[in-house]
Amino acid sequence: MFLYLFSRFGVRRVSIGVEALDKALEGGIPQGSWVVVTGEPGVGKSILCIHFAYAGLRAGDPVVYVTTEQEFRDVMEQARQLGMDLSQFSVFNIAWRKEPEELPEIVVVDIFGLLKVARQLTERAREESPEKVRRYAALSIDTLIEAINEAYEVLAVAKERGSPERHVRLVIDSMSAFWVDKPVMARKYSYQLKIATHRDNVTALLTSQYAPTTRQAFGFGLEHIADGVIHMWMDDVETVKEVRRWLIVKKMRMTAHATRAFRVKIESGRGLVLEPA
Ligand SMILES: Nc1ncnc2c1ncn2[C@@H]1O[C@H](COP(=O)(O)OP(=O)(O)OP(=O)(O)O)[C@@H](O)[C@H]1O
Ligand SMILES: [Mg+2]
């Protein structure tokens, strides 16, 4: 099995696991990049994340899977329906009390993990300044950064550049949850997150909701910070009277990517199927 594909310029490419999309990206997204998937509800963002995680696991990459939307077992069930069996890989949830006995293949950060980390951070703040305790929320950017770093520790992802560790995939589904009450902070938060969690050997896929009413990404800042933007949408259902989905690569650094939209279908047993428009 090929672990990575190399483009003609020697950039290491990370397969997303959807054949037509990988092809549209000269083999995949550049290793170490941060790619945002934007789009309104139901367009297939979470399913694209599942493909990305599954392709990685099959290639031997461990995955840090942050989900703010569902419990991980729901992600596994959705994956199973689409022909991707995640249950064959070992899972460790950072919310668990016990330490992992062996190196896991998937480290899950769900709302329970974020709650646990938020409690730990608040406890630490109490010890440092008992008279004025800072309380951390589960859905705050500081909590997310700490949780991802905890997941990196489990997988022994080092901070030093050039260290020869394995390639790791990071999924954050979704980022919008972290600025739900203050979308103007999106750019600052995204920047903070990237500074604190970016590694050369970590390739990240992050989702962001797009408000169909205003046509504004919910927290537009993330798209500027990202190395790549994959946008998904659907035609107005009242006009076309069906769910007709589309995907386009809006931006991908270091890549002569396809510039036309794809029709997207979601099929049981297969997941996302892309066809040229
Ligand atoms: N087994 C299946 N077969 C066919 N289509 C499916 C199947 N499972 C899910 N879908 C389709 O996928 C859609 C969900 O896609 P997904 O969860 O990726 O959307 P999303 O963009 O993440 O939405 P949100 O912003 O609400 O999280 C469902 O609404 C349904 O139309
Ligand atoms: Mg989703």
Side-chain angles (χ1 to χ4, degrees):
M1 199 187 299
F2 291 106
L3 280 186
Y4 305 104
L5 294 163
F6 290 83
S7 83
R8 61 208 143 97
F9 301 114
V11 175
R12 217 170 214 200
R13 301 259 161 208
V14 178
S15 156
I16 296 188
V18 178
E19 207 184 324
L21 185 53
D22 285 335
K23 225 169 131 190
L25 293 166
E26 294 192 293
I29 58 184
Q31 179 176 320
S33 59
W34 273 47
V35 175
V36 178
V37 185
T38 57
E40 65 202 87
V43 285
K45 302 182 298 295
S46 295
I47 294 175
L48 190 61
C49 291
I50 294 172
H51 278 284
F52 175 71
Y54 185 69
L57 291 161
R58 299 226 319 169
D61 290 348
V63 173
V64 174
Y65 207 107
V66 182
T67 171
T68 58
E69 319 260 289
Q70 296 162 295
E71 282 189 51
F72 194 68
R73 61 160 184 244
D74 296 332
V75 176
M76 282 170 87
E77 172 54 23
Q78 174 75 87
R80 192 197 56 76
Q81 286 180 11
L82 303 173
M84 295 174 273
D85 175 18
L86 292 177
S87 69
Q88 61 184 301
F89 302 103
S90 58
V91 174
F92 177 76
N93 189 322
I94 65 154
W96 292 344
R97 280 171 192 282
K98 59 177 174 80
E99 298 277 307
E101 277 156 28
E102 46 169 15
L103 204 62
E105 290 161 296
I106 311 174
V107 181
V108 171
V109 177
D110 59 12
I111 196 67
F112 302 107
L114 290 167
L115 276 166
K116 177 186 149 179
V117 169
R119 270 198 305 270
Q120 284 169 355
L121 286 172
T122 305
E123 201 44 50
R124 207 185 297 162
R126 191 190 312 281
E127 280 161 20
E128 278 163 15
S129 57
E131 55 291 335
K132 196 168 176 285
V133 182
R134 177 174 168 197
R135 290 188 181 283
Y136 289 81
L139 291 175
S140 80
I141 210 73
D142 295 315
T143 304
L144 176 64
I145 289 169
E146 181 75 11
I148 291 173
N149 279 314
E150 211 170 283
Y152 282 177
E153 248 168 62
V154 171
L155 293 171
V157 178
K159 215 173 203 146
E160 296 74 43
R161 285 179 144 255
S163 47
E165 346 81 344
R166 285 188 299 172
H167 177 240
V168 173
R169 294 181 186 223
L170 170 64
V171 170
I172 307 180
D173 186 20
S174 96
M175 280 301 298
S176 310
F178 294 93
W179 48 71
V180 93
D181 51 350
K182 30 186 166 351
V184 289
M185 299 300 279
R187 192 166 183 155
K188 186 179 169 210
Y189 285 173
S190 314
Y191 196 63
Q192 246 179 296
L193 178 77
K194 192 170 179 188
I195 297 268
T197 59
H198 175 264
R199 306 282 185 274
D200 288 345
N201 65 322
V202 176
T203 306
L205 199 67
L206 306 86
T207 69
S208 173
Q209 262 159 27
Y210 209 86
T213 41
T214 57
R215 287 255 158 251
Q216 275 283 323
F218 196 30
F220 198 68
L222 187 57
E223 294 191 42
H224 292 284
I225 306 289
D227 303 303
V229 177
I230 296 172
H231 181 54
M232 300 175 83
W233 75 98
M234 58 172 84
D235 287 338
D236 178 45
V237 290
E238 291 183 12
T239 309
V240 299
K241 298 181 181 63
E242 64 170 315
V243 174
R244 206 184 277 165
R245 300 183 177 87
W246 300 91
L247 178 152
I248 195 162
V249 180
K250 274 170 77 174
K251 145 171 157 185
M252 194 64 64
R253 290 181 183 145
M254 293 181 284
T255 308
H257 59 84
T259 51
R260 295 193 69 116
F262 291 89
R263 261 304 287 276
V264 178
K265 294 198 173 126
I266 301 173
E267 291 179 12
S268 283
R270 277 183 84 186
L272 296 180
V273 181
L274 267 56
E275 290 161 7

